[in-house]
Amino acid sequence: MPPAAATNLGYEPPDGGWGWAVVFAAFISIGFSYAFPKSLTIYFKEIQEYFSVSYSEIAWLSSVMLASMYAGGPVSSMLVNRYGSRPVVMVGGLLVCTGMVLASLGTTIIHLYLCVGVIGGFGLAFNLQPALTIIGTYFQVKRPLANGLAMTGSPVVLSTLAPLNQFLFDSFGWRGSFLVLGSIVLNCCVAGALMRPVNKRAEFQPNNGSPTSRRKVSVEAAAVDLRSQSVNHPTKDDTNKSKCQSFVSRYIDVSLFTHRGFLIYLIGNVLMFFGFFAPVVFLAPYAKHQGTDEYSAALLLSIFALVDMFIRPITGFLGNSKWIRPRIQYFFSFAVSYNGVCHLLCPLASGYGGLVVYAVFFGLAFGMLSALLFEVLMDLVGTHRFSSAVGLVTIIECGPVLLGPPISGALVDMFGDYKYMYYACGVFMLVPGIFFFIMHYYNYKKLDEEHRQSMVVEMRISEEVVELKLNQNEKTDNER
């Protein structure tokens, strides 16, 4: 298993400058990626009645869109590695626009699945992953803060789209609203234009004068020399195998499946995502089910988004502090567990006032988790491997993302009550939260042990290098 993620990028990130313009662009791109599927829930009740479908069938609309967004992660990663973030994001904006325009002409719910779900979802994938990746190239010291600010785009866009969608529906119906939304999402193309590639010409300058630097260079040279002596001449089979491996590695870093931290993150997230999106998807329908009017139900999403909007940059600021960043995985574990507790307590909220209280606490929990979701992955695997890691994570997570809301909708259909859906989501969040606490404690302990062992090995190699140099000097003096 590898030790802690490396922080040497091969160049010095600006940690500011044009990077803040990139953060603003990522703010827009990530905002539409996450807020767009949630904001469409305003139309669910009307689309459900129009096509005469069940709760679980209408829930598939946002599920297919989110699952397509996650399934498109590896494709987006390949395009980003080949062409960079800027053109990929711009193409993503065009895809979402196309999907919404075609959906406005839909005659069946399957038509909406294909246009909004598949085409729109892939467009959102081309917005999400490039925005997450480019932040890591511009920031290192301030990276948690930059990620927190960029992830704030989701609640800001959601708090704007939720009441706007209700207004659009009242004015133009759901078909006309989809046309307008298709034009609005073209702002992602503008955001993509701001994602200028980072200047990587500023290399790190090692301090060659310090004894520590000299010792490190000597150790690395000795290690390279030892490795070069132990390498055998490759056979033909080995050459063919290495060609296949290099072909695969150009698209995806499968060695991440041997990375302890990555596996912990992946296992916990797969379970967590069964209950991650459903509470947001069904918040407005739940309020309407309790007799709340449409605008008040939409206001719940705005309240949720407002709290979410303020907690994300605060979470990024806290995650960047010297007290939390060294053990940021515990902070993430708390955020996951907190979400689970909120959902388990939601059925106890009575009336519209109770739903407002739930929306506030859920906004806090959801915002904390979302601000840390990709920062902790970058902390585990490092910036160099993040693009491949997020692609692998999203393609695997598309299963629970796809099935989570329909399973929750099926619970509503089965029992005729939303409380069982919230209980299930609470369990799906609380269990991985506890899992993260336990496994990250184990991971941090193993990383400390591996660090101590590496220091011992480094000291041993350093002593061998010094002894070897002394022997060479003695031999040279004797020859003279």
Side-chain angles (χ1 to χ4, degrees), residues 187-266:
N187 284 288
C188 292
C189 298
V190 180
L194 294 175
M195 294 182 182
R196 186 176 67 194
V198 67
N199 180 9
K200 298 184 179 182
R201 289 179 296 177
E203 301 288 338
F204 280 124
Q205 298 296 329
N207 185 6
N208 297 325
S210 65
T212 304
S213 299
R214 287 197 300 269
R215 188 182 73 178
K216 185 175 181 181
V217 171
S218 299
V219 170
E220 291 175 352
V224 170
D225 182 63
L226 290 172
R227 285 196 299 269
S228 64
Q229 294 177 14
S230 63
V231 173
N232 297 322
H233 294 289
T235 64
K236 185 176 181 179
D237 292 338
D238 292 336
T239 303
N240 293 333
K241 185 177 179 180
S242 66
K243 286 181 179 179
C244 294
Q245 290 176 344
S246 63
F247 177 79
V248 173
S249 64
R250 273 190 294 174
Y251 298 101
I252 193 165
D253 187 1
V254 293
S255 67
L256 284 165
F257 287 109
T258 64
H259 191 289
R260 183 176 57 245
F262 176 78
L263 290 176
I264 293 171
Y265 180 90
L266 182 61

Side-chain angles (χ1 to χ4, degrees), residues 17 55 64 76-77 115 118 126 158 164 172 194 218 239 251 259 269 296 349 363 366 375 393 408 425 479:
Y55 286 103
V64 172
S76 182
S77 296
C115 297
V118 178
F126 292 173
L158 179 59
L164 176 63
F172 308 106
L194 294 175
S218 299
T239 303
Y251 298 101
H259 191 289
N269 273 29
S296 297
F366 192 88
E375 170 59 31
V393 166
S408 300
C425 292
E479 290 176 354

Side-chain angles (χ1 to χ4, degrees), residues 39 41-42 155 158-167 280 283-285 287-288 292-308 352-353 355-360:
S39 67
T41 60
I42 297 297
L158 179 59
S159 63
T160 304
L161 287 180
L164 176 63
N165 280 339
Q166 191 65 56
F167 170 77
V280 183
L283 181 58
K288 294 177 182 178
T292 305
D293 64 90
E294 295 177 348
Y295 274 95
S296 297
L299 182 61
L300 284 175
L301 282 175
S302 296
I303 294 171
F304 163 82
L306 186 65
V307 177
D308 187 8
Y352 186 73
L355 289 177
V356 170
V357 173
Y358 167 72
V360 170

Side-chain angles (χ1 to χ4, degrees), residues 409-472:
L411 289 174
V412 177
D413 290 333
M414 186 183 303
F415 296 102
D417 199 331
Y418 283 84
K419 66 179 181 180
Y420 298 102
M421 182 270 293
Y422 279 98
Y423 286 145
C425 292
V427 172
F428 280 131
M429 300 295 289
L430 186 58
V431 170
I434 298 171
F435 170 81
F436 281 136
F437 270 118
I438 296 172
M439 294 307 297
H440 283 309
Y441 171 79
Y442 168 77
N443 189 41
Y444 278 130
K445 188 176 180 180
K446 293 293 291 183
L447 287 175
D448 290 338
E449 292 177 2
E450 291 164 2
H451 178 69
R452 288 193 295 268
Q453 290 174 0
S454 66
M455 292 296 294
V456 171
V457 172
E458 183 179 336
M459 290 296 295
R460 188 181 303 161
I461 295 176
S462 179
E463 292 172 359
E464 291 176 357
V465 169
V466 172
E467 184 178 353
L468 180 63
K469 286 185 176 181
L470 289 174
N471 292 335
Q472 289 176 347

Side-chain angles (χ1 to χ4, degrees), residues 63 79 152 349:
S63 292
L79 293 175
T152 307

Side-chain angles (χ1 to χ4, degrees), residues 244-437:
C244 294
Q245 290 176 344
S246 63
F247 177 79
V248 173
S249 64
R250 273 190 294 174
Y251 298 101
I252 193 165
D253 187 1
V254 293
S255 67
L256 284 165
F257 287 109
T258 64
H259 191 289
R260 183 176 57 245
F262 176 78
L263 290 176
I264 293 171
Y265 180 90
L266 182 61
I267 293 170
N269 273 29
V270 166
L271 182 59
M272 181 187 77
F273 269 80
F274 276 104
F276 187 55
F277 290 112
V280 183
V281 170
F282 286 101
L283 181 58
Y286 180 33
K288 294 177 182 178
H289 179 75
Q290 290 193 341
T292 305
D293 64 90
E294 295 177 348
Y295 274 95
S296 297
L299 182 61
L300 284 175
L301 282 175
S302 296
I303 294 171
F304 163 82
L306 186 65
V307 177
D308 187 8
M309 174 175 56
F310 281 102
I311 197 61
R312 291 198 191 200
I314 294 174
T315 302
F317 177 78
L318 292 175
N320 205 58
S321 65
K322 62 180 180 180
W323 300 282
I324 294 179
R325 189 169 187 183
R327 292 292 187 266
I328 197 171
Q329 304 297 333
Y330 290 142
F331 195 22
F332 177 67
S333 305
F334 167 76
V336 177
S337 303
Y338 179 29
N339 272 268
V341 172
C342 285
H343 302 329
L344 290 173
L345 296 178
C346 175
L348 301 179
S350 60
Y352 186 73
L355 289 177
V356 170
V357 173
Y358 167 72
V360 170
F361 281 95
F362 180 31
L364 289 172
F366 192 88
M368 289 174 61
L369 194 158
S370 299
L372 298 169
L373 186 60
F374 294 104
E375 170 59 31
V376 294
L377 177 60
M378 200 177 293
D379 177 71
L380 288 168
V381 303
T383 303
H384 285 301
R385 306 174 78 183
F386 176 75
S387 179
S388 295
V390 74
L392 288 171
V393 166
T394 52
I395 187 64
I396 294 172
E397 286 175 351
C398 74
V401 168
L402 177 66
L403 297 175
I407 290 174
S408 300
L411 289 174
V412 177
D413 290 333
M414 186 183 303
F415 296 102
D417 199 331
Y418 283 84
K419 66 179 181 180
Y420 298 102
M421 182 270 293
Y422 279 98
Y423 286 145
C425 292
V427 172
F428 280 131
M429 300 295 289
L430 186 58
V431 170
I434 298 171
F435 170 81
F436 281 136
F437 270 118

Side-chain angles (χ1 to χ4, degrees), residues 7 9 12-16 20 135-147 204 316-317 319-322 325 375 383:
T7 56
L9 302 176
E12 188 173 1
D15 268 307
W20 295 118
I135 291 175
T137 66
Y138 269 92
F139 292 88
Q140 183 169 319
V141 176
K142 300 176 182 177
R143 193 184 66 209
L145 178 60
N147 275 321
F204 280 124
F317 177 78
N320 205 58
S321 65
K322 62 180 180 180
R325 189 169 187 183
E375 170 59 31
T383 303

